[in-house]
Amino acid sequence: MAEFQPRVFSGVQPTGNLHLGNYLGAVSRWVPLQDRMPTIFCVVDSHAITAGFPDPIELSEATREVTAAYMAAGIDPNKSIIFNQSQVREHMELAWIFNCVARMGWLNRMTQFKEKAGKNKENASVGLFAYPNLMAADILAYRGTHVPVGDDQKQHLELTRDIATKFNNDFGDRIKELGIGVPNPTPSPELPEQLYFPITEPMIAGPATRIMSLRDGTKKMSKSDPSDLSRINLTDDADTIAKKVRKAKTDPDALPSEVGGLEERPEADNLVGIFAALDGSSKEDVLKTFGGQQFSAFKPALAELAVTKLSPMTDEMRRLKEDKAQIDAVLKDGAEKASAIAEPVLKDVRKIIGFLDVR
Ligand code: TRP
């Protein structure tokens, strides 16, 4: 290879219901990438067991549900590879090797582990600690060059770059000798001339795509919030979507005409942001139209927009969820295509490391 093939890789965990935040912050942004470069979208079931094993039936149902959401949102199995992580064993094998590349000190710095492990670190699973190494393996088993994710994953992508850099360096001579490297596209003193793994480019979603709870504008919209009114689920029908928008928390003032006027008004800011994201416009544009108006005028307009934009997708999502055979066929085909890319990569990696191949 004279240069790395551009390739997008991203994934979502199959835990609980997908909601508007997952859609606007992640999956909807992936759709246009499909026409620009090869894309792989994974349902990361092996990550979903790191914070405790979910109920087995629920885990397989949630895996199908995320697949249905990808498809209903416009990820086309004829353009993108869609599969569930556990079907391609190469992820696990590369993760083990990366466990031996990454340093304890690097993982000790991961803020997501600290948040998820909470006070009782001694009782967190080893898998939760090593999770970022598996994420690096997900990406690099395909020598992925571009990874679109939310800003909460930024630190994990930096770790992925550190792992790729260390591997490329530690095995630089061997990679060159075997003739399986790619000339470093951005020569730097930190890296050898020939690389095996690309230094992945993060494509981080800005704060504008952070969708907050409909009941509390200071909290992220979340599948674990006990109030269903706090989120719009990707399986909600038109009436439910409209009802949740009508019941969304607001403040008593009219909407401002300038974005600056949304400061210290988290609920107003969130609803204006949702309108802009659904409409493909900006908060400025929304306030040009609605500045000076009361929520009693803005909310019906937002409800109508949300129903128009989302209900075709949520209808399709509910239909697909019933069609397990179709979902499973898509995942099977995707797993075969994914394996066809990852298997030769792991063959190379074993050779680079010196694992003896006698079969
Ligand atoms: N850790 C990601 C999240 O929680 C999910 C994920 C796993 C992922 N592997 C990945 C995202 C590889 C991008 C690329 O959102």
Side-chain angles (χ1 to χ4, degrees):
M1 250 197 291
E3 56 188 59
F4 289 110
Q5 307 281 330
R7 182 173 275 136
V8 169
F9 186 100
S10 197
V12 168
Q13 285 196 44
T15 40
N17 285 339
L18 286 189
H19 53 68
L20 187 65
N22 302 115
Y23 173 67
L24 292 175
V27 186
S28 69
R29 301 171 52 241
W30 301 349
V31 175
L33 299 174
Q34 298 180 104
D35 297 313
R36 289 180 21 210
M37 54 183 122
T39 40
I40 305 179
F41 299 115
C42 186
V43 184
V44 291
D45 52 7
S46 306
H47 278 94
I49 60 172
T50 53
F53 285 91
D55 174 82
I57 308 287
E58 279 171 23
L59 178 57
S60 31
E61 280 311 304
T63 300
R64 290 200 181 97
E65 182 165 325
V66 172
T67 310
Y70 284 1
M71 290 165 67
I75 305 294
D76 177 351
N78 295 313
K79 293 182 185 168
S80 293
I81 297 176
I82 304 174
F83 73 108
N84 59 314
Q85 189 183 21
S86 59
Q87 287 290 292
V88 180
R89 311 292 190 260
E90 280 69 18
H91 291 241
M92 314 307 143
E93 187 181 351
L94 191 57
W96 175 254
I97 295 166
F98 288 170
N99 283 344
C100 303
V101 174
R103 308 288 90 191
M104 289 294 288
W106 301 358
L107 287 164
N108 271 330
R109 284 198 288 275
M110 296 292 117
T111 54
Q112 189 172 295
F113 173 76
K114 289 180 202 161
E115 276 160 27
K116 288 198 178 176
K119 286 191 199 79
N120 199 354
K121 254 172 72 175
E122 291 296 311
N123 197 38
S125 78
V126 175
L128 186 67
F129 185 71
Y131 170 123
N133 294 341
L134 177 58
M135 180 162 163
D138 297 337
I139 299 163
L140 295 176
Y142 306 91
R143 300 166 104 183
T145 56
H146 294 79
V147 179
V149 281
D151 56 1
D152 61 324
Q153 295 300 311
K154 204 169 155 185
Q155 200 183 27
H156 292 161
L157 288 183
E158 275 156 21
L159 184 91
T160 301
R161 292 163 64 92
D162 289 344
I163 289 175
T165 301
K166 181 161 166 57
F167 185 94
N168 286 325
N169 270 318
D170 289 356
F171 294 101
D173 293 344
R174 177 84 172 153
I175 291 164
K176 200 166 161 191
E177 200 178 285
L178 292 168
I180 53 178
V182 174
N184 181 4
T186 48
S188 69
E190 271 171 63
L191 283 163
E193 299 148 53
Q194 296 280 316
L195 312 180
Y196 186 73
F197 288 122
I199 308 302
T200 306
E201 273 315 314
M203 303 166 88
I204 305 285
T209 51
R210 242 178 100 133
I211 306 298
M212 311 307 277
S213 159
L214 298 180
R215 306 298 302 165
D216 176 352
T218 63
K219 283 203 312 209
K220 246 173 94 168
M221 186 176 283
S222 154
K223 42 199 163 195
S224 54
D225 192 313
S227 167
D228 197 53
L229 286 175
S230 71
R231 65 187 157 259
I232 294 174
N233 300 307
L234 296 192
T235 46
D236 286 345
D237 61 19
D239 289 347
T240 312
I241 297 172
K243 181 182 90 183
K244 287 178 176 174
V245 173
R246 274 201 314 274
K247 297 206 164 182
K249 187 175 168 204
T250 52
D251 58 37
D253 298 335
L255 283 170
S257 311
E258 308 283 333
V259 176
L262 292 170
E263 260 172 55
E264 317 275 315
R265 296 181 63 187
E267 283 81 20
D269 186 35
N270 187 36
L271 294 183
V272 170
I274 292 175
F275 193 109
L278 289 171
D279 196 36
S281 64
S282 64
K283 290 183 190 174
E284 283 83 359
D285 291 333
V286 176
L287 294 179
K288 259 184 221 141
T289 314
F290 290 98
Q293 297 195 31
Q294 297 294 334
F295 281 105
S296 54
F298 178 65
K299 274 183 166 183
L302 177 58
E304 194 187 314
L305 176 68
V307 167
T308 312
K309 292 281 171 167
L310 298 174
S311 68
M313 173 175 69
T314 64
D315 289 349
E316 173 66 356
M317 171 90 186
R318 289 197 308 283
R319 187 193 71 73
L320 278 168
K321 259 185 81 174
E322 297 310 311
D323 193 348
K324 290 189 183 166
Q326 188 189 349
I327 299 283
D328 292 3
V330 165
L331 289 174
K332 177 168 189 275
D333 179 60
E336 280 158 10
K337 290 180 182 151
S339 294
I341 303 170
E343 279 169 14
V345 170
L346 265 290
K347 241 188 166 103
D348 284 347
V349 171
R350 283 181 221 118
K351 201 186 286 171
I352 291 169
I353 293 175
F355 284 169
L356 182 64
D357 184 4
V358 293
R359 296 209 301 176

